[in-house]
Amino acid sequence: MRWLLSLLLISVSSLIHGLSSSGSRLLVVIEEAADQEKYSQFWSDLRGRGFSISFESPKNEKLALLKHDELVFDHVILLPPKSKGLGPALTPKLLLDFVNKNGNILLALSGDSSTPTAISSLLLELDIQLPPDRTSLVVDHFNYDTISASEKHDVLLLPQPSSIRTDLRQFFGGDGTIAFPRAVAQELGNSSPLLAPILQADSTAYSYNPKEEADTVEDPFTTGSQIALVSAMQARNSARFTVLGSVEALEDVWFDASVQGVQGSKSKTANREFARQLSEWTFMETGVLKVGKVEHHLSSTEQEKSGNNSVTELGYLNPKIYRVKNDVTFTVELSEYTQTHWSPPTIPASDALQLEFTMLSPFHRLALLPVQVTPNSTLYSTTFTLPDQHGIFAFRVNYKRPFMTSVDVKQEVTVRHFAHDEWPRSWMISGGWVWIAGTWVTIAGWVAFVAIWLWSEPAYDAARGKKIQ
């Protein structure tokens, strides 16, 4: 009976964990409880994916993200407050501590309300800058919804984003149109490699303050594709922080709304699909890599065979010491979490997973190629010859890409020089054949000289009793 009870508890705990790779406890910070109904479809989608949602007001004095230095919630959604701040439990320092503990945050902004100073300070810590007047929004006179924003032009119509680089995976793509009402512009710093834009404005967009009644904008905060409407920060511990410039884009009225562009073409919005993609990435349901087994061993290569079949394992796995010029095979196993399960990852053709064999600097930098695919993982491997240099080396796999969790594998080994009985014999070295031949010629010459000298002894005259010259 005990083993049945244990099995039942394990099954229940796996169901409670939900579909996210990092947990299912989700906190939604919303100031007015009545506003929950505006996003009912979004909450329903999250619950359908296994999340346990708790709604709290930022004014709640008992609210805490950490307890006894452990996470109380795995993920947090911060909706824009109507007051001047987020309360004592959600200060910038506490939110950064939450991220440092591997918590994930989705922060939503709105052009309808002034951005609190605490949020601006928090985003500055991440090198994300908001308009200094804190009330600006983005308009585009060439890409807006003529039905709902015929005068203000503040409901942007944008295609679903494409990949920012050809060597990156696409997590937010599609063929639909996204409606972005009253969005707040974000400007990303160039110094942080952890930041990446998810959705950018068109080249004709700009940010301005609607409270200024001027007919023209002389010095806008930022313009064109420099405006990030949705941005992401993935910390060094792979925790994720996403900034959504328009909380209205999550409302039910925009999840399946009919919009019409300036050209007169009507279409349905893809806000619901984009919200699902954005929340899946933020809450670590996609783009999560895990390292399985890491192996290296001596190997021999058979020239008549090709690929992985040409490599034969010698000795035992993961030895601590090798010899210079040894042939070594290195293998790493990677898995990728895809919404509900672990699956074998695929590296884009324009990208490469690389192995570095390094001391102070890399002696080898080699591409790891897939050699075996299992239902849950892919094995990447390469075979190479160690350099003619002894010392302390490290096998290093350092794979860091935007929107993918970091992979950093490092294993140290010792590379020794040849032992005295491991050098090849002199007759096996073709360069030594001249000296070997010289030695034997010298020996043969000496033997010949002695033989000739002995054979050439003078004749003896017995009558005269002396040698004849």
Side-chain angles (χ1 to χ4, degrees):
M1 290 298 295
R2 289 185 177 180
W3 69 270
L4 285 174
L5 181 60
S6 302
L7 183 60
L8 180 61
L9 290 174
I10 293 174
S11 302
V12 171
S13 63
S14 63
L15 291 175
I16 293 175
H17 186 270
L19 303 182
S20 172
S21 63
S22 59
S24 61
R25 299 171 299 175
L26 173 60
L27 169 67
V28 177
V29 179
I30 184 169
E31 189 166 354
E32 299 292 338
D35 292 339
Q36 296 181 20
E37 297 301 323
K38 295 181 180 180
Y39 316 98
S40 60
Q41 294 185 42
F42 185 49
W43 310 140
S44 176
D45 292 345
L46 290 173
R47 289 191 179 97
R49 299 197 327 249
F51 287 98
S52 175
I53 304 178
S54 300
F55 295 94
E56 294 290 348
S57 170
K59 301 177 182 179
N60 186 357
E61 297 180 355
K62 297 182 179 180
L63 178 62
L65 300 180
L66 298 173
K67 186 175 182 180
H68 305 304
D69 207 30
E70 295 293 334
L71 293 179
V72 179
F73 301 97
D74 303 304
H75 320 284
V76 172
I77 296 178
L78 297 175
L79 299 185
K82 297 180 181 179
S83 57
K84 295 183 178 181
L86 291 173
L90 299 172
T91 62
K93 181 182 182 304
L94 293 176
L95 291 174
L96 291 178
D97 290 341
F98 179 76
V99 173
N100 291 332
K101 288 290 185 179
N102 297 314
N104 305 300
I105 296 178
L106 174 59
L107 171 64
L109 306 174
S110 175
D112 282 344
S113 60
S114 177
T115 304
T117 305
I119 292 180
S120 298
S121 301
L122 170 64
L123 296 182
L124 281 177
E125 295 283 344
L126 309 179
D127 207 9
I128 301 175
Q129 187 173 358
L130 299 181
D133 51 31
R134 297 186 293 162
T135 56
S136 293
L137 51 81
V138 181
V139 297
D140 189 340
H141 302 302
F142 298 90
N143 301 280
Y144 65 93
D145 180 25
T146 58
I147 299 176
S148 60
S150 59
E151 295 182 0
K152 296 183 178 180
H153 303 175
D154 56 357
V155 179
L156 309 184
L157 298 183
L158 301 167
Q160 289 185 258
S162 58
S163 180
I164 59 176
R165 281 180 4 207
T166 58
D167 60 337
L168 299 181
R169 291 277 302 280
Q170 176 59 279
F171 296 103
F172 312 100
D175 300 326
T177 300
I178 303 173
F180 244 69
R182 295 171 290 282
V184 178
Q186 308 161 40
E187 187 176 25
L188 307 186
N190 297 323
S191 59
S192 176
L194 307 177
L195 287 175
I198 295 177
L199 181 65
Q200 296 170 290
D202 284 333
S203 58
T204 53
Y206 63 94
S207 175
Y208 92 110
N209 187 352
K211 294 184 179 180
E212 298 178 359
E213 298 181 355
D215 295 333
T216 60
V217 180
E218 296 182 357
D219 189 17
F221 168 67
T222 183
T223 61
S225 58
Q226 294 179 347
I227 299 176
L229 300 174
V230 183
S231 57
M233 190 281 297
Q234 185 166 256
R236 301 189 187 279
N237 62 354
S238 295
R240 294 169 174 177
F241 192 109
T242 303
V243 183
L244 176 64
S246 172
V247 69
E248 290 84 356
L250 302 178
E251 293 180 358
D252 295 346
V253 295
W254 293 108
F255 263 28
D256 193 24
S258 295
V259 293
Q260 181 177 344
V262 177
Q263 293 79 12
S265 58
K266 291 186 177 181
S267 61
K268 292 286 187 178
T269 60
N271 285 35
R272 187 167 193 167
E273 180 184 1
F274 180 70
R276 177 186 57 81
Q277 295 171 341
L278 190 66
S279 58
E280 282 179 347
W281 182 85
T282 304
F283 301 148
M284 305 195 78
E285 296 174 76
T286 57
V288 180
L289 294 177
K290 180 180 70 172
V291 179
K293 60 182 179 181
V294 179
E295 298 176 350
H296 54 86
H297 56 80
L298 285 172
S299 60
S300 64
T301 304
E302 301 179 30
Q303 300 295 334
E304 61 274 10
K305 297 182 180 180
S306 61
N308 194 49
N309 295 327
S310 64
V311 179
T312 303
E313 179 183 341
L314 301 176
Y316 53 91
L317 291 175
N318 301 338
K320 295 297 183 182
I321 189 168
Y322 288 104
R323 194 205 68 203
V324 296
K325 296 186 176 181
N326 274 151
D327 289 332
V328 174
T329 297
F330 179 87
T331 304
V332 61
E333 181 184 25
L334 293 182
S335 300
E336 180 181 0
Y337 194 80
T338 308
Q339 296 172 340
T340 60
H341 61 282
W342 293 101
S343 61
T346 302
I347 304 298
S350 55
D351 195 10
L353 179 67
Q354 294 181 324
L355 167 70
E356 291 182 351
F357 191 69
T358 177
M359 190 187 298
L360 296 177
S361 59
F363 278 68
H364 288 293
R365 184 178 285 119
L366 307 167
L368 289 166
L369 302 177
V371 296
Q372 184 180 353
V373 178
T374 69
N376 300 320
S377 64
T378 302
L379 274 69
Y380 295 87
S381 181
T382 188
T383 300
F384 64 101
T385 302
L386 297 182
D388 191 6
Q389 172 70 43
H390 64 276
I392 305 299
F393 285 80
F395 295 99
R396 182 80 182 273
V397 178
N398 188 14
Y399 186 78
K400 295 178 180 178
R401 300 293 185 272
F403 309 120
M404 300 290 290
T405 56
S406 302
V407 173
D408 194 355
V409 177
K410 184 177 181 181
Q411 290 197 358
E412 291 187 351
V413 293
T414 301
V415 178
R416 63 174 177 84
H417 51 69
F418 280 95
H420 70 281
D421 58 348
E422 290 180 325
W423 295 98
R425 300 290 88 184
S426 57
W427 57 82
M428 299 177 62
I429 304 175
S430 59
W433 292 350
V434 176
W435 284 268
I436 294 175
T439 300
W440 284 108
V441 167
T442 302
I443 294 174
W446 171 253
V447 172
F449 169 75
V450 171
I452 293 172
W453 186 81
L454 293 176
W455 179 77
S456 302
E457 181 182 3
Y460 182 77
D461 189 353
R464 299 177 64 180
K466 61 181 181 180
K467 294 181 179 178
I468 302 175
Q469 298 296 332

